[in-house]
Amino acid sequence: MRLKPLLLACLLLCGGARAEDAAGGNADADWVGGFALLGRERAVLNATPLNEANFLDLAEHKTELVGLLEGRYQQFSWRARVETAHSDVAGERQRSAFTLQELNRVFQLNDAVKLSLGKRLYALDPSYVNQPLGFFQKRSDLSDPLDSLGQSEGLPMAVLSWTGASASVAALYSRDARRHADGYNRGVEQSLLKFGYEFPQLSASIVLRRASGEANGIGAALSGAVGDTLSWYGSAYSARGSQRPIVAGLTAPDGKLGVAANVSLHANAGGASDADGTNGTSGSSGSSGGAGGQGAYGPLRANDGRRYHRATIGLVWTLPDLPKLQLEYAYDGRGLSDAQFGRLLALVATNRESALPAPAIAGLQAQLAQLLVSQGARRRYLSVSLAQTAGDWELGGGVYLGQDDRSRVWHGTADYRLDTRTTLMISALHQAGAADSERTLSPLGSSLALRLRRQF
């Protein structure tokens, strides 16, 4: 489609830096900004039965040209991203995409009450990596922790909020009806009430949520600081039922597995890489088939009667002349236990030994690969990261440790500021672990990217 490269060219030619008062923190000022980015990425794929001979068609080489334009005019805010990419994927060497990431209007009803309508992000969780309350905010990306590539996309929602001197109340409703449900926040209808209070050195909030396919859930978040060098945060959520995707049969108490009875034969074996590019595949989100007509992304645990808990606690320690240290521990009860992960490995082997045609086996394995999301398919994780400024360099990196199987995701970034608006960006990621761990089972082994970004 020729229109998308044309839109990209228009974005790259749209000039104008942000207004000075907007850059100074005046949220009411009108402004326009954005960036243009040229990048080259190389990926090394794992030799895993979930992607034998790369039947998922994951790109090993990719060149991308990206333009992002965002701004604010009176009570309207917007953000749009257009990308054209060339890769070595057979049949899809040239790909262009345009995404209206945010378009929102705020109505100030009085001094304390406002109504927000449109597509936007809304942060509820103070955590950095794992976000139990991250229903309306960007999904974390270990290869791009600060979203410097501008890939975050909002959800359509209505927000009615009241803000007092210390207390606040917000009511949110979101229905992402035009997308296939991905088992997380896409394609989900959800409503939420948030009650917040700001103490002298503590922020606290409680949320009540109802999502399609799940029972009512309750959550809470706390964040605070100890002096000028140490800050901490924590969040938790509990609900009966879960939208997190899982192949039917992995949670069966007897562990009996049947290939066609537990996995859809209609999976898309040519699925693209996961949305954050770190792990797994997104494939065919709305596929159906198998037992009860439910595919890999069907709400297979939504009405199972179980209560699932998830929680995160972390701290950020900043000392002069030393790297900033961030620690975060997370538990997600929706993840696979040791027994369930063992059934997953058994199902991988069962698929390979079946008498089905090769395309059908590839489809089965692709659905299992969809479970290996970047934040992990298991339950317990520890994140350790460091960040440091050294002259014109911004350095960051760390490791994401799976406590259940000792798997590891090493990630790092190095940004060099050529001038006030131009940055050379280097990023790397490597997944490792023992044999049959979730990271060695993942189709993606390592990635290295070099990018040049020019801000408007």
PDB file of all heavy atoms in Angstrom, residues 56-76:
ATOM      1  N   LEU A  56       8.140 -20.475  12.046  1.00  0.00           N
ATOM      2  CA  LEU A  56       7.408 -19.280  12.491  1.00  0.00           C
ATOM      3  C   LEU A  56       7.746 -18.058  11.643  1.00  0.00           C
ATOM      4  O   LEU A  56       7.138 -17.001  11.812  1.00  0.00           O
ATOM      5  CB  LEU A  56       7.721 -18.988  13.960  1.00  0.00           C
ATOM      6  CG  LEU A  56       7.175 -19.996  14.976  1.00  0.00           C
ATOM      7  CD1 LEU A  56       7.670 -19.659  16.370  1.00  0.00           C
ATOM      8  CD2 LEU A  56       5.663 -20.022  14.947  1.00  0.00           C
ATOM      9  N   ASP A  57       8.738 -18.202  10.762  1.00  0.00           N
ATOM     10  CA  ASP A  57       9.167 -17.096   9.903  1.00  0.00           C
ATOM     11  C   ASP A  57       9.568 -15.869  10.720  1.00  0.00           C
ATOM     12  O   ASP A  57       9.160 -14.733  10.429  1.00  0.00           O
ATOM     13  CB  ASP A  57       8.062 -16.719   8.902  1.00  0.00           C
ATOM     14  CG  ASP A  57       8.081 -17.598   7.669  1.00  0.00           C
ATOM     15  OD1 ASP A  57       9.122 -18.226   7.416  1.00  0.00           O
ATOM     16  OD2 ASP A  57       7.046 -17.677   6.981  1.00  0.00           O
ATOM     17  N   LEU A  58      10.356 -16.070  11.763  1.00  0.00           N
ATOM     18  CA  LEU A  58      10.875 -14.950  12.545  1.00  0.00           C
ATOM     19  C   LEU A  58      12.045 -14.322  11.803  1.00  0.00           C
ATOM     20  O   LEU A  58      12.899 -15.017  11.245  1.00  0.00           O
ATOM     21  CB  LEU A  58      11.324 -15.435  13.923  1.00  0.00           C
ATOM     22  CG  LEU A  58      10.256 -16.121  14.772  1.00  0.00           C
ATOM     23  CD1 LEU A  58      10.835 -16.524  16.115  1.00  0.00           C
ATOM     24  CD2 LEU A  58       9.050 -15.207  14.964  1.00  0.00           C
ATOM     25  N   ALA A  59      12.101 -13.009  11.799  1.00  0.00           N
ATOM     26  CA  ALA A  59      13.146 -12.295  11.066  1.00  0.00           C
ATOM     27  C   ALA A  59      14.480 -12.403  11.788  1.00  0.00           C
ATOM     28  O   ALA A  59      14.568 -12.186  12.994  1.00  0.00           O
ATOM     29  CB  ALA A  59      12.754 -10.827  10.900  1.00  0.00           C
ATOM     30  N   GLU A  60      15.531 -12.720  11.039  1.00  0.00           N
ATOM     31  CA  GLU A  60      16.887 -12.727  11.589  1.00  0.00           C
ATOM     32  C   GLU A  60      17.628 -11.438  11.247  1.00  0.00           C
ATOM     33  O   GLU A  60      18.575 -11.066  11.946  1.00  0.00           O
ATOM     34  CB  GLU A  60      17.648 -13.944  11.069  1.00  0.00           C
ATOM     35  CG  GLU A  60      17.052 -15.271  11.507  1.00  0.00           C
ATOM     36  CD  GLU A  60      17.863 -16.463  11.045  1.00  0.00           C
ATOM     37  OE1 GLU A  60      18.913 -16.743  11.661  1.00  0.00           O
ATOM     38  OE2 GLU A  60      17.449 -17.101  10.048  1.00  0.00           O
ATOM     39  N   HIS A  61      17.217 -10.777  10.178  1.00  0.00           N
ATOM     40  CA  HIS A  61      17.788  -9.484   9.801  1.00  0.00           C
ATOM     41  C   HIS A  61      16.631  -8.534   9.509  1.00  0.00           C
ATOM     42  O   HIS A  61      15.681  -8.917   8.813  1.00  0.00           O
ATOM     43  CB  HIS A  61      18.685  -9.601   8.561  1.00  0.00           C
ATOM     44  CG  HIS A  61      19.844 -10.539   8.726  1.00  0.00           C
ATOM     45  ND1 HIS A  61      21.055 -10.146   9.238  1.00  0.00           N
ATOM     46  CD2 HIS A  61      19.956 -11.864   8.455  1.00  0.00           C
ATOM     47  CE1 HIS A  61      21.867 -11.189   9.270  1.00  0.00           C
ATOM     48  NE2 HIS A  61      21.228 -12.237   8.801  1.00  0.00           N
ATOM     49  N   LYS A  62      16.713  -7.312  10.027  1.00  0.00           N
ATOM     50  CA  LYS A  62      15.642  -6.345   9.773  1.00  0.00           C
ATOM     51  C   LYS A  62      16.212  -4.937   9.743  1.00  0.00           C
ATOM     52  O   LYS A  62      17.027  -4.563  10.592  1.00  0.00           O
ATOM     53  CB  LYS A  62      14.558  -6.435  10.850  1.00  0.00           C
ATOM     54  CG  LYS A  62      13.369  -5.515  10.578  1.00  0.00           C
ATOM     55  CD  LYS A  62      12.250  -5.694  11.618  1.00  0.00           C
ATOM     56  CE  LYS A  62      12.589  -5.048  12.921  1.00  0.00           C
ATOM     57  NZ  LYS A  62      11.434  -4.993  13.848  1.00  0.00           N
ATOM     58  N   THR A  63      15.789  -4.176   8.739  1.00  0.00           N
ATOM     59  CA  THR A  63      16.089  -2.742   8.656  1.00  0.00           C
ATOM     60  C   THR A  63      14.776  -1.989   8.768  1.00  0.00           C
ATOM     61  O   THR A  63      13.804  -2.336   8.083  1.00  0.00           O
ATOM     62  CB  THR A  63      16.782  -2.399   7.329  1.00  0.00           C
ATOM     63  OG1 THR A  63      17.981  -3.176   7.205  1.00  0.00           O
ATOM     64  CG2 THR A  63      17.130  -0.926   7.271  1.00  0.00           C
ATOM     65  N   GLU A  64      14.734  -0.974   9.609  1.00  0.00           N
ATOM     66  CA  GLU A  64      13.484  -0.268   9.854  1.00  0.00           C
ATOM     67  C   GLU A  64      13.667   1.239   9.743  1.00  0.00           C
ATOM     68  O   GLU A  64      14.733   1.783  10.054  1.00  0.00           O
ATOM     69  CB  GLU A  64      12.938  -0.610  11.246  1.00  0.00           C
ATOM     70  CG  GLU A  64      13.882  -0.255  12.376  1.00  0.00           C
ATOM     71  CD  GLU A  64      13.370  -0.674  13.736  1.00  0.00           C
ATOM     72  OE1 GLU A  64      12.168  -0.980  13.852  1.00  0.00           O
ATOM     73  OE2 GLU A  64      14.165  -0.689  14.696  1.00  0.00           O
ATOM     74  N   LEU A  65      12.638   1.891   9.265  1.00  0.00           N
ATOM     75  CA  LEU A  65      12.561   3.344   9.227  1.00  0.00           C
ATOM     76  C   LEU A  65      11.261   3.728   9.902  1.00  0.00           C
ATOM     77  O   LEU A  65      10.178   3.294   9.482  1.00  0.00           O
ATOM     78  CB  LEU A  65      12.591   3.854   7.783  1.00  0.00           C
ATOM     79  CG  LEU A  65      12.503   5.370   7.587  1.00  0.00           C
ATOM     80  CD1 LEU A  65      13.683   6.064   8.262  1.00  0.00           C
ATOM     81  CD2 LEU A  65      12.441   5.722   6.110  1.00  0.00           C
ATOM     82  N   VAL A  66      11.369   4.512  10.979  1.00  0.00           N
ATOM     83  CA  VAL A  66      10.217   4.807  11.834  1.00  0.00           C
ATOM     84  C   VAL A  66      10.059   6.312  11.970  1.00  0.00           C
ATOM     85  O   VAL A  66      11.037   7.060  12.081  1.00  0.00           O
ATOM     86  CB  VAL A  66      10.395   4.178  13.231  1.00  0.00           C
ATOM     87  CG1 VAL A  66       9.224   4.537  14.149  1.00  0.00           C
ATOM     88  CG2 VAL A  66      10.539   2.677  13.128  1.00  0.00           C
ATOM     89  N   GLY A  67       8.817   6.753  11.970  1.00  0.00           N
ATOM     90  CA  GLY A  67       8.493   8.130  12.285  1.00  0.00           C
ATOM     91  C   GLY A  67       7.403   8.186  13.332  1.00  0.00           C
ATOM     92  O   GLY A  67       6.439   7.419  13.280  1.00  0.00           O
ATOM     93  N   LEU A  68       7.568   9.047  14.324  1.00  0.00           N
ATOM     94  CA  LEU A  68       6.561   9.228  15.365  1.00  0.00           C
ATOM     95  C   LEU A  68       6.266  10.711  15.517  1.00  0.00           C
ATOM     96  O   LEU A  68       7.186  11.538  15.574  1.00  0.00           O
ATOM     97  CB  LEU A  68       7.031   8.634  16.689  1.00  0.00           C
ATOM     98  CG  LEU A  68       6.013   8.703  17.835  1.00  0.00           C
ATOM     99  CD1 LEU A  68       6.026   7.412  18.649  1.00  0.00           C
ATOM    100  CD2 LEU A  68       6.277   9.883  18.762  1.00  0.00           C
ATOM    101  N   LEU A  69       5.000  11.041  15.557  1.00  0.00           N
ATOM    102  CA  LEU A  69       4.561  12.424  15.735  1.00  0.00           C
ATOM    103  C   LEU A  69       3.538  12.456  16.857  1.00  0.00           C
ATOM    104  O   LEU A  69       2.579  11.677  16.864  1.00  0.00           O
ATOM    105  CB  LEU A  69       3.945  12.970  14.441  1.00  0.00           C
ATOM    106  CG  LEU A  69       3.578  14.460  14.448  1.00  0.00           C
ATOM    107  CD1 LEU A  69       4.836  15.314  14.551  1.00  0.00           C
ATOM    108  CD2 LEU A  69       2.794  14.831  13.194  1.00  0.00           C
ATOM    109  N   GLU A  70       3.753  13.330  17.812  1.00  0.00           N
ATOM    110  CA  GLU A  70       2.837  13.466  18.930  1.00  0.00           C
ATOM    111  C   GLU A  70       2.669  14.937  19.269  1.00  0.00           C
ATOM    112  O   GLU A  70       3.473  15.791  18.880  1.00  0.00           O
ATOM    113  CB  GLU A  70       3.358  12.714  20.154  1.00  0.00           C
ATOM    114  CG  GLU A  70       4.713  13.184  20.630  1.00  0.00           C
ATOM    115  CD  GLU A  70       5.231  12.363  21.799  1.00  0.00           C
ATOM    116  OE1 GLU A  70       4.400  11.740  22.490  1.00  0.00           O
ATOM    117  OE2 GLU A  70       6.448  12.350  22.026  1.00  0.00           O
ATOM    118  N   GLY A  71       1.614  15.241  19.991  1.00  0.00           N
ATOM    119  CA  GLY A  71       1.408  16.628  20.347  1.00  0.00           C
ATOM    120  C   GLY A  71       0.167  16.845  21.177  1.00  0.00           C
ATOM    121  O   GLY A  71      -0.561  15.912  21.538  1.00  0.00           O
ATOM    122  N   ARG A  72      -0.065  18.115  21.462  1.00  0.00           N
ATOM    123  CA  ARG A  72      -1.214  18.526  22.248  1.00  0.00           C
ATOM    124  C   ARG A  72      -1.714  19.854  21.690  1.00  0.00           C
ATOM    125  O   ARG A  72      -0.914  20.761  21.404  1.00  0.00           O
ATOM    126  CB  ARG A  72      -0.827  18.681  23.728  1.00  0.00           C
ATOM    127  CG  ARG A  72      -1.934  19.259  24.611  1.00  0.00           C
ATOM    128  CD  ARG A  72      -1.399  19.605  25.986  1.00  0.00           C
ATOM    129  NE  ARG A  72      -2.417  20.281  26.772  1.00  0.00           N
ATOM    130  CZ  ARG A  72      -3.232  19.672  27.617  1.00  0.00           C
ATOM    131  NH1 ARG A  72      -3.124  18.366  27.801  1.00  0.00           N
ATOM    132  NH2 ARG A  72      -4.130  20.343  28.291  1.00  0.00           N
ATOM    133  N   TYR A  73      -3.019  19.944  21.542  1.00  0.00           N
ATOM    134  CA  TYR A  73      -3.635  21.200  21.130  1.00  0.00           C
ATOM    135  C   TYR A  73      -4.890  21.408  21.975  1.00  0.00           C
ATOM    136  O   TYR A  73      -5.847  20.645  21.876  1.00  0.00           O
ATOM    137  CB  TYR A  73      -3.997  21.191  19.643  1.00  0.00           C
ATOM    138  CG  TYR A  73      -4.700  22.456  19.195  1.00  0.00           C
ATOM    139  CD1 TYR A  73      -3.999  23.661  19.101  1.00  0.00           C
ATOM    140  CD2 TYR A  73      -6.062  22.445  18.899  1.00  0.00           C
ATOM    141  CE1 TYR A  73      -4.642  24.823  18.702  1.00  0.00           C
ATOM    142  CE2 TYR A  73      -6.700  23.605  18.499  1.00  0.00           C
ATOM    143  CZ  TYR A  73      -5.995  24.797  18.400  1.00  0.00           C
ATOM    144  OH  TYR A  73      -6.636  25.945  18.025  1.00  0.00           O
ATOM    145  N   GLN A  74      -4.817  22.425  22.819  1.00  0.00           N
ATOM    146  CA  GLN A  74      -5.897  22.697  23.771  1.00  0.00           C
ATOM    147  C   GLN A  74      -6.190  21.428  24.580  1.00  0.00           C
ATOM    148  O   GLN A  74      -5.317  20.967  25.305  1.00  0.00           O
ATOM    149  CB  GLN A  74      -7.114  23.249  23.032  1.00  0.00           C
ATOM    150  CG  GLN A  74      -6.849  24.602  22.380  1.00  0.00           C
ATOM    151  CD  GLN A  74      -8.057  25.193  21.696  1.00  0.00           C
ATOM    152  OE1 GLN A  74      -9.158  24.648  21.759  1.00  0.00           O
ATOM    153  NE2 GLN A  74      -7.868  26.323  21.033  1.00  0.00           N
ATOM    154  N   GLN A  75      -7.360  20.838  24.445  1.00  0.00           N
ATOM    155  CA  GLN A  75      -7.696  19.656  25.246  1.00  0.00           C
ATOM    156  C   GLN A  75      -7.515  18.342  24.493  1.00  0.00           C
ATOM    157  O   GLN A  75      -7.901  17.293  24.985  1.00  0.00           O
ATOM    158  CB  GLN A  75      -9.143  19.774  25.749  1.00  0.00           C
ATOM    159  CG  GLN A  75      -9.407  21.002  26.611  1.00  0.00           C
ATOM    160  CD  GLN A  75      -8.483  21.061  27.820  1.00  0.00           C
ATOM    161  OE1 GLN A  75      -8.299  20.074  28.517  1.00  0.00           O
ATOM    162  NE2 GLN A  75      -7.899  22.222  28.059  1.00  0.00           N
ATOM    163  N   PHE A  76      -6.914  18.396  23.317  1.00  0.00           N
ATOM    164  CA  PHE A  76      -6.669  17.198  22.525  1.00  0.00           C
ATOM    165  C   PHE A  76      -5.196  16.789  22.638  1.00  0.00           C
ATOM    166  O   PHE A  76      -4.306  17.648  22.611  1.00  0.00           O
ATOM    167  CB  PHE A  76      -7.008  17.435  21.045  1.00  0.00           C
ATOM    168  CG  PHE A  76      -8.464  17.528  20.755  1.00  0.00           C
ATOM    169  CD1 PHE A  76      -9.114  18.770  20.751  1.00  0.00           C
ATOM    170  CD2 PHE A  76      -9.217  16.394  20.495  1.00  0.00           C
ATOM    171  CE1 PHE A  76     -10.463  18.862  20.478  1.00  0.00           C
ATOM    172  CE2 PHE A  76     -10.568  16.480  20.220  1.00  0.00           C
ATOM    173  CZ  PHE A  76     -11.194  17.712  20.221  1.00  0.00           C
TER     174      PHE A  76
END
